[in-house]
């Protein structure tokens, strides 16, 4: 059995004896867990609960009442432990006896004295009392145990007023150390007291003899007159005389005792009033105690005292008690209002809310304070959310104004800087620099670790969403737990349970389930719409946009910031799901996450397409051993990095749907992916067909004398159009055979839909570009050779019909062969794989032209045919 359930045990009481209303301190174990746990306390059989004051589980202070027994145990009863036991006892002493006319600093109950004086069998004079010290010597209490004396004199008593008085007990208890001489002196004192009593009685009789004689003489005279006269006149006069004597005697007696009787009546009334004040001081002091305890915040003590007063005086008919109880009710009503104000005060903790609801329940407050608290918390959360949005919108506007003036200042400083070469054709542009920085940021990975300046770098919308979700996640759990406690009745104490208030509360909670569900839904809708207003304003209607929007959307957030927002909202959703909130209430958050994920993919792909278009600026035209530049690798890495940044967005958390479940999303993503591929193809075409003057080759380092032919392209640090075409053809060939296939695998790995379509359309576009560039190169190289054949044949008026004996190959063929060899060398320098394709077309074109020219000859002479 646990310690809290053990019965109370009284192991000590101080003092262990005393008269009625003596204040005692009871000590022991398991004396209760609190004031409300103490339900019974008896001392010597008398109920002392009304005066009991619980201090701790080991200490109780109370006053002893009018006990039934002279000696008895101290029994404590608690709710948690039941009825207890006692190892000590308390002895109730009779109060010291004081005469009616004796002066005293305290009031005593005189009922015993009246009983004693009216007992004629005891032969005690009316105005005499037994002295407290009959022996007349100093009392020296001995240290003999009380139990030993009781066992030594069974049935006897040391009280000399008792019928069972034992002189031996009295002497052992009060004069155990008194000397023999003092005891002899005590005997003398006893004899003197006995003589005084006898003399006092005789003196009393002597003092009244004259009155007795006067009365006797008067009666004798009356009797003689009646016998002598026998007339009515004499009888009447004597009767009148007798009445006068009696009246005079009565008046004299009244005069003698009027002062004494008046003082006694006044003392009786005062004593009775003090007795009432002492007995019912709990009620009379309760209004002031309530005020003090309210100021100290001891509401439990106030409620405990109020319940006790209500049970004792709630239905009293005594006017004084009703008046004081009305004062108590007035202060309790003020306490109810105070507690209700504290309950509805925001912000407040869940512990304080439960405590105030329990107090109001114990005080039987009207209405339903728990539901009022729930409604106040709901409105406060909504207000916090809207205030958060308004503060960040104002901060964004102020920040934008500051950045605008800062930008103007930087531009002016750059324009007037002496470090700038004003004669240079190319000047650094701050706008271009900012754009390049933004591009690099979009291409860089989003780091989870933040430095101290993260909030200054992050857009206001991102900081707002993080603050808003943190606010909801911190406030909604307490709001939900308050509702759960309201439903299961744990907000109320045992007093409310006994009064049936808990059952009424549970019934009210069942009736208000739909209302609370609407509150949660309103909070969720506000959260989602505030986030949509900041990040997805196009998804709100015009009326909602005015309420939940207000942001200045100069530029849309980049993919990494949207990814961060999605992670924040996901964590918030997980926190709310842990509260066991029904999924249908949280579905709106899942819809928001899905829309954010889709938007993040779209924005990331759009930014990737922009980055791909700017790859042309990074082409360095340095080829490797395979005839490739770094451009295809940069293109592939850019897409791979973009897909990797979307990994957390594409992955589905528990309860989330795939971003590609909607047909429109699939089509949009497919078109954007095709656009990315087409953008790179356009980039290649732009580079290969750009005029020579538009190409920056100042960064090239080419050495003709190097034995590595693939490390040098031209003896001058510039590229011709034909060389750029060859490099572009080599890159196209690599893209077709490797890069596009690798990218398709990454698309499939990340769950993209329509990868076959993306690959097919991209391949077709790439092949068309390759064919166009190839035809352009053949046109550049083959046409001059083909065009030089016919003039070379007929140079010097050569005639096939009349020519000299040939002595060797003519110069035009030599020139054609040299030109073909030059083409071979140029192609071989760029890419060995392109040699067969290019040379076959060049030779074919030359052969076709020779064939055509030969067919045009009408006839050959013998020398002509030999030639």
């Amino acid at each position: 059995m646990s310690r809290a359930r053990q019965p109370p045990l009284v192991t000590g009481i101080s003092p262990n004896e005393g008269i009625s209303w003596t204040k005692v301190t009871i000590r022991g174990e398991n004396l209760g867990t609190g004031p409300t746990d103490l339900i019974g306390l008896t001392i010597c059989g008398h109920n002392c609960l009304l005066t009991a004051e619980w201090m701790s589980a080991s200490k109780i202070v109370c006053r002893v009442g009018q006990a039934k027994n002279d000696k008895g145990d101290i029994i404590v009863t608690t709710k948690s432990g039941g009825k207890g036991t006692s190892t000590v006892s308390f002895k109730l002493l009779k109060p010291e006896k004081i005469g009616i006319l004796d002066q005293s600093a305290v009031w005593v109950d005189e009922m015993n004295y009246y009983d004693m004086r009216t007992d004629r069998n005891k032969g005690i004079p009316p105005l005499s009392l037994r002295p407290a010290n009959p022996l007349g010597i100093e009392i020296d209490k001995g240290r003999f145990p009380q139990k030993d004396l009781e066992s030594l004199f069974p049935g006897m008593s040391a009280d000399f007023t008792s019928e069972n008085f034992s002189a031996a007990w009295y002497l052992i208890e009060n004069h155990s150390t008194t000397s023999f001489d003092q005891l002899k002196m005590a005997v003398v004192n006893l004899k003197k007291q006995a003589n005084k009593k006898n003399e006092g009685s005789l003196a009393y009789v002597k003092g009244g003899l004259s009155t007795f004689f006067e009365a006797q003489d008067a009666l004798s005279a009356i009797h003689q007159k009646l016998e002598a006269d026998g007339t009515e006149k004499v009888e009447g006069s004597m009767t009148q005389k007798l009445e006068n004597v009696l009246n005079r005697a009565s008046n004299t007696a009244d005069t003698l005792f009027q002062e004494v009787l008046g003082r006694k009546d006044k003392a009786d009334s005062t004593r009775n009033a003090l007795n009432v004040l002492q007995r019912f001081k709990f009620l009379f002091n309760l209004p002031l105690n309530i005020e003090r305890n309210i100021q100290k915040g001891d509401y439990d003590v106030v409620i405990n005292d109020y319940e006790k007063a209500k049970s004792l005086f709630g239905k009293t008919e005594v006017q004084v008690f009703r008046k004081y109880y009305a004062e108590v009710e007035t202060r309790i009503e003020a306490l109810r209002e105070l507690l209700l104000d504290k309950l509805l005060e925001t912000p407040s903790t869940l512990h304080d809310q439960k405590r105030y609801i329990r107090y109001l329940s114990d005080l039987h407050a009207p209405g339903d304070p728990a539901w009022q608290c729930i409604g106040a918390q709901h409105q406060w959360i909504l207000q916090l959310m809207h205030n958060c949005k308004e503060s960040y919108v104002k901060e964004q506007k102020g920040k934008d104004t500051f950045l605008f003036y800062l930008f103007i200042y930087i531009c002016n400083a750059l324009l007037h800087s002496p470090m700038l070469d004003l004669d240079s054709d190319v000047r650094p542009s701050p706008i271009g620099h900012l754009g390049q920085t933004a591009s690099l940021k979009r291409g860089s990975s989003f780091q989870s670790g933040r430095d101290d300046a993260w909030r200054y770098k992050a857009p206001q919308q991102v900081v707002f969403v993080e603050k808003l979700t943190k606010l909801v996640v911190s406030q909604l759990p307490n709001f939900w737990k308050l509702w759960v406690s309201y439903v299961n009745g744990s907000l109320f104490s045992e007093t409310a349970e006994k009064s049936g208030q808990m059952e009424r509360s549970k019934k009210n909670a069942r009736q208000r389930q739909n209302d609370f569900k609407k509150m949660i839904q309103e909070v969720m809708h506000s959260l989602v719409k505030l986030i949509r207003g900041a990040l997805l304003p196009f998804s709100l209607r015009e009326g909602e946009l005015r309420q939940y929007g207000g942001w200045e959307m100069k530029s849309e957030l980049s993919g990494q910031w949207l990814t961060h927002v999605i992670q924040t909202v996901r964590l918030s959703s997980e926190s709310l799901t842990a509260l066991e909130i029904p999924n249908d209430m949280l579905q709106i958050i899942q819809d928001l996450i899905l829309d954010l994920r889709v938007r993040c993919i779209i924005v990331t792909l759009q930014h990737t397409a922009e980055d791909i278009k700017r790859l042309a600026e990074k082409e360095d035209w340095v080829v490797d051993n395979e005839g490739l530049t770094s451009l295809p690798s940069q293109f592939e890495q850019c897409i791979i990095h973009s897909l990797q940044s979307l990994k957390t967005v594409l992955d589905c958390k528990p309860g989330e749907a795939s971003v590609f479940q909607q047909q429109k999303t699939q089509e949009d993503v497919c078109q954007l992916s095709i656009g990315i591929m087409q953008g790179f193809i356009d980039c290649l075409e732009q580079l290969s067909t750009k005029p020579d003057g538009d190409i920056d080759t100042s960064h090239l380092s080419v050495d003709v004398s190097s034995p590595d032919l693939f490390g040098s392209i031209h003896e001058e640090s510039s590229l011709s159009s034909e060389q750029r075409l060859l490099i572009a053809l080599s890159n196209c060939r690599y893209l077709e055979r490797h890069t596009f296939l690798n990218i398709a695998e990454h698309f499939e790995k990340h769950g993209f839909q329509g990868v076959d379509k993306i690959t097919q359309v991209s391949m077709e576009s790439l092949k068309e570009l390759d064919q166009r560039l190839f035809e352009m190169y053949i046109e550049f190289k083959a046409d001059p050779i083909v065009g030089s054949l016919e003039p070379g044949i007929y140079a010097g008026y050569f005639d096939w019909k009349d020519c000299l004996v040939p002595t060797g190959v003519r110069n035009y063929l030599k020139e054609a062969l040299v030109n073909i060899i030059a083409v071979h060398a140029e192609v071989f320098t760029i890419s060995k794989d392109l040699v067969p394709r290019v040379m076959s077309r060049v030779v074919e074109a030359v052969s076709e032209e020779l064939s055509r020219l030969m067919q045009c000859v009408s006839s050959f002479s013998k020398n002509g045919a030999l030639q």
Side-chain angles (χ1 to χ4, degrees):
M1 182 169 60
S2 64
R3 184 176 181 87
R5 296 184 178 274
Q6 292 181 356
L9 175 63
V10 177
T11 58
I13 183 170
S14 177
N16 59 0
E17 62 179 11
I19 64 173
S20 299
W21 301 109
T22 299
K23 187 175 182 180
V24 296
T25 301
I26 300 170
R27 298 188 181 275
E29 301 176 357
N30 308 316
L31 301 183
T33 60
T36 59
D37 193 40
L38 182 65
I39 60 176
L41 173 61
T42 58
I43 300 177
C44 300
H46 185 269
N47 186 7
C48 303
L49 182 62
L50 185 63
T51 62
E53 183 177 1
W54 185 90
M55 296 296 183
S56 65
S58 59
K59 181 179 177 182
I60 297 175
V61 177
C62 71
R63 290 188 179 273
V64 182
Q66 294 285 351
K68 301 177 182 177
N69 304 320
D70 292 341
K71 190 174 184 180
D73 294 333
I74 301 93
I75 305 300
V76 177
T77 306
T78 62
K79 293 180 183 179
S80 59
K83 188 174 182 180
T85 56
S86 174
T87 61
V88 296
S89 60
F90 183 83
K91 182 179 179 180
L92 184 69
L93 302 177
K94 293 185 178 180
E96 183 179 358
K97 300 173 178 59
I98 302 175
I100 298 175
L101 301 181
D102 294 341
Q103 294 184 356
S104 174
V106 296
W107 294 99
V108 297
D109 191 356
E110 296 179 344
M111 189 61 66
N112 295 332
Y113 301 110
Y114 288 124
D115 295 340
M116 182 175 63
R117 288 195 294 272
T118 56
D119 190 353
R120 296 181 180 180
N121 295 328
K122 295 180 181 180
I124 301 175
L127 299 178
S128 65
L129 291 173
R130 290 186 177 89
N133 186 5
L135 298 182
I137 60 177
E138 184 180 357
I139 295 177
D140 187 6
K141 290 284 186 178
R143 297 185 179 180
F144 290 93
Q146 193 72 16
K147 293 184 178 180
D148 295 345
L149 293 174
E150 291 177 357
S151 61
L152 187 61
F153 303 98
M156 306 302 289
S157 174
D159 186 4
F160 56 85
T161 63
S162 175
E163 295 180 357
N164 299 326
F165 173 69
S166 174
W169 187 349
Y170 180 82
L171 289 174
I172 292 173
E173 183 177 6
N174 298 287
H175 301 285
S176 59
T177 59
T178 306
S179 65
F180 182 72
D181 294 337
Q182 289 179 333
L183 289 177
K184 289 194 297 182
M185 188 182 298
V187 173
V188 174
N189 293 335
L190 285 175
K191 290 180 180 181
K192 288 181 179 180
Q193 290 179 12
N195 293 334
K196 284 183 179 180
K197 289 181 180 179
N198 294 332
E199 292 177 358
S201 299
L202 183 60
Y204 176 75
V205 174
K206 289 181 179 181
L209 283 177
S210 60
T211 304
F212 295 151
F213 288 152
E214 289 181 1
Q216 182 67 29
D217 292 343
L219 290 175
S220 297
I222 292 171
H223 182 68
Q224 290 176 3
K225 288 290 184 180
L226 289 174
E227 289 181 352
D229 296 340
T231 62
E232 295 180 359
K233 183 178 179 181
V234 174
E235 181 180 0
S237 63
M238 294 306 295
T239 303
Q240 183 67 34
K241 185 177 181 181
L242 178 61
E243 289 179 355
N244 292 335
V245 171
L246 293 175
N247 289 334
R248 188 169 62 250
S250 177
N251 292 335
T252 303
D254 290 342
T255 303
L256 291 174
F257 289 96
Q258 186 65 38
E259 183 179 358
V260 174
L261 295 177
R263 289 202 306 268
K264 181 184 180 299
D265 291 340
K266 185 177 181 181
D268 289 342
S269 62
T270 305
R271 188 180 297 110
N272 291 333
L274 291 175
N275 196 14
V276 170
L277 290 175
Q278 178 66 22
R279 183 177 179 183
F280 300 103
K281 67 177 182 179
F282 166 74
L283 177 62
F284 298 139
N285 294 334
L286 188 56
L288 181 59
N289 290 336
I290 289 177
E291 292 285 349
R292 292 175 178 174
N293 290 324
I294 288 176
Q295 292 178 0
K296 293 189 295 184
D298 295 337
Y299 303 121
D300 287 312
V301 178
V302 175
I303 294 172
N304 187 34
D305 292 344
Y306 172 65
E307 289 292 336
K308 188 184 295 184
K310 186 176 182 181
S311 62
L312 293 175
F313 307 102
K315 298 181 180 179
T316 183
E317 297 296 334
V318 181
Q319 292 298 327
V320 175
F321 293 164
R322 292 178 63 179
K323 180 179 179 180
Y324 272 88
Y325 184 73
E327 289 291 330
V328 172
E329 286 290 354
T330 301
R331 284 162 173 77
I332 292 298
E333 182 61 30
L335 176 60
R336 292 191 187 103
E337 296 177 358
L338 174 65
L339 292 176
L340 185 60
D341 293 340
K342 287 182 174 293
L343 176 63
L344 301 181
E345 189 180 63
T346 53
S348 61
T349 62
L350 179 62
H351 176 267
D352 289 341
Q353 293 169 3
K354 289 184 176 181
R355 188 160 59 95
Y356 293 139
I357 291 173
R358 189 182 73 251
Y359 290 154
L360 290 170
S361 172
D362 292 341
L363 292 174
H364 309 286
D368 194 345
W371 181 251
Q372 289 179 278
C373 179
I374 291 174
Q377 288 296 311
H378 169 245
Q379 293 298 328
W380 183 63
I381 292 174
L382 293 178
Q383 188 63 38
L384 281 180
M385 296 167 66
H386 284 281
N387 290 344
C388 180
K389 189 264 291 186
E390 294 297 333
S391 64
Y392 275 97
V393 168
K394 292 180 181 178
E395 186 176 351
Q396 182 201 36
K397 293 180 180 179
K399 190 175 181 181
D400 291 342
T401 304
F402 170 75
L403 290 176
F404 172 74
Y405 287 112
L406 179 62
F407 176 74
I408 296 298
Y409 173 78
I410 293 174
C411 290
N412 292 332
L414 290 174
L415 289 175
H416 295 84
S417 175
M419 297 180 63
L420 292 179
D421 185 5
L422 298 180
D423 297 332
S424 176
D425 295 333
V426 181
R427 299 179 181 177
S429 170
I431 300 177
H433 178 69
L434 293 175
Q436 183 179 3
T437 305
S439 173
L440 292 177
K441 283 187 177 181
R442 283 195 294 269
S444 61
S445 61
F446 180 77
Q447 298 176 356
S448 58
R450 308 171 190 167
D451 54 12
D452 295 337
W454 175 83
R455 292 190 178 276
Y456 299 100
K457 297 178 182 179
Q460 286 295 99
Q461 293 95 321
V462 176
V463 182
F464 160 70
V465 171
E466 189 169 82
K467 179 68 175 179
L468 179 67
T469 53
K470 184 178 180 181
L471 186 151
V472 174
V473 170
S474 63
Q475 296 298 329
L476 201 60
N478 290 339
F479 183 60
W480 179 261
K481 291 175 183 177
L482 180 64
W483 165 256
V484 172
S485 301
Y486 178 61
V487 171
N488 59 29
S490 61
L491 289 174
F492 307 100
S493 62
E494 295 180 1
T495 304
E497 184 177 1
K498 293 178 181 179
S499 64
Q501 188 171 357
M502 185 181 296
E503 292 299 326
R504 292 194 297 271
S505 176
K506 289 183 178 180
K507 182 179 178 181
N508 292 338
R510 288 192 295 269
Q511 294 175 352
R512 290 168 174 162
Q513 283 183 350
N514 290 333
D515 295 335
F516 181 77
K517 184 177 181 180
K518 292 179 181 178
M519 289 182 179
I520 295 292
Q521 289 176 343
E522 186 175 359
V523 172
M524 295 295 103
H525 278 80
S526 297
L527 172 65
V528 170
K529 289 180 180 178
L530 285 171
I531 296 177
R532 287 183 180 275
L535 304 176
L536 305 173
F538 52 84
S539 64
L540 296 177
R541 295 190 296 269
E542 184 177 355
E544 295 176 339
L545 195 58
R546 287 194 298 268
Q547 181 179 0
Y548 299 101
W551 301 85
E552 294 184 0
M553 304 296 290
K554 295 182 178 180
S555 61
E556 193 169 11
L557 293 181
S558 60
Q560 74 268 22
W561 289 123
L562 286 174
T563 303
H564 174 74
V565 169
I566 292 170
Q567 185 68 13
T568 301
V569 178
R570 278 175 168 172
L571 293 175
S572 304
S573 178
E574 292 175 1
S575 300
L576 297 178
T577 304
L579 296 176
E580 298 181 357
I581 298 179
N583 292 331
D584 57 341
M585 297 185 184
L586 301 177
Q587 183 58 43
I588 187 173
I589 299 183
Q590 295 298 331
D591 296 340
L592 170 65
I593 293 175
L594 179 61
D595 291 347
L596 287 174
R597 291 166 65 200
V598 171
R599 190 60 193 168
C600 180
I601 294 173
I602 299 299
V603 170
T604 301
L605 294 179
Q606 289 175 347
H607 288 170
T608 303
E610 296 175 3
D611 293 340
I612 295 298
K613 292 178 181 178
R614 284 190 289 269
L615 283 179
E617 302 172 3
K618 301 180 181 181
E619 177 60 277
D620 55 6
W621 299 106
V622 176
V623 297
D624 58 9
N625 294 336
E626 297 181 359
L628 303 174
T629 64
S630 61
L631 204 60
S633 176
Q634 292 180 14
F635 168 64
E636 183 177 353
Q637 290 300 319
C638 184
I639 292 181
I640 291 175
H641 170 74
S642 177
L643 295 177
Q644 288 177 347
S645 67
L646 292 174
K647 185 178 186 307
T648 57
V649 178
L650 294 170
D651 293 341
C652 296
K653 299 292 182 179
E656 295 182 358
S658 172
V659 292
F660 299 112
Q661 66 176 0
Q662 298 178 357
Q663 185 65 30
K664 184 178 184 303
T665 304
Q666 296 180 16
E667 295 176 356
D668 293 343
V669 171
C670 182
Q671 292 299 324
L672 285 173
S673 302
I674 294 174
I676 291 174
M677 310 292 275
Q678 185 62 47
F680 185 68
I681 294 172
D682 295 340
C683 175
L684 289 177
E685 185 173 8
Q686 176 188 359
L687 288 171
S688 59
T689 58
K690 185 184 297 184
D692 293 345
D694 295 341
I695 302 206
D696 182 14
T697 57
S698 59
H699 55 278
L700 296 180
S701 58
V702 185
D703 186 6
V704 180
S705 62
S706 172
D708 183 10
L709 296 177
F710 311 106
S712 60
I713 300 175
H714 201 274
E715 58 183 0
E716 300 177 356
S717 296
S718 62
L719 292 175
S720 62
S721 300
E722 293 85 354
Q723 289 173 328
R724 291 200 306 271
L725 287 173
L726 283 175
I727 294 174
L729 286 172
S730 179
N731 287 336
C732 288
R733 182 174 180 275
Y734 184 81
L735 290 171
E736 181 181 356
R737 296 186 178 184
H738 299 92
T739 304
F740 279 14
L741 297 179
N742 294 339
I743 292 174
E745 291 180 1
H746 282 89
F747 279 144
E748 291 180 351
K749 178 181 177 181
H750 288 83
F752 276 56
Q753 304 295 319
V755 178
D756 294 338
K757 180 180 179 181
I758 297 172
T759 306
Q760 179 183 356
V761 174
S762 302
M763 287 291 189
E764 291 176 356
S765 181
L766 180 64
K767 290 178 180 180
E768 292 178 0
L769 173 62
D770 178 81
Q771 189 62 34
R772 289 198 303 271
L773 297 180
F774 181 74
E775 295 296 338
M776 290 176 61
Y777 184 76
I778 296 301
E779 182 178 354
F780 284 150
K781 292 299 181 181
D783 286 357
I785 299 175
V786 171
S788 66
L789 290 178
E790 186 172 0
I793 291 175
Y794 296 102
Y797 301 102
F798 178 81
D799 187 2
W800 293 101
K801 296 180 183 180
D802 182 14
C803 62
L804 301 176
V805 177
T807 58
V809 180
R810 296 184 63 191
N811 289 334
Y812 77 93
L813 283 178
K814 293 178 181 181
E815 182 180 357
L817 290 174
V818 170
N819 290 333
I820 292 174
I821 293 171
V823 173
H824 180 278
E826 185 180 60
V827 175
F828 190 85
T829 302
I830 302 299
S831 173
K832 293 182 291 185
D833 294 335
L834 289 177
V835 171
R837 182 184 179 189
V838 174
M839 295 307 299
S840 61
R841 282 294 303 272
V842 172
V843 173
E844 182 180 351
V846 173
S847 302
E848 288 180 355
E849 180 63 18
L850 286 174
S851 174
R852 184 186 67 79
L853 291 174
M854 292 301 104
Q855 291 176 359
C856 292
V857 177
S858 57
S859 61
F860 294 92
S861 63
K862 183 177 180 180
N863 291 336
L866 182 57
Q867 186 66 52

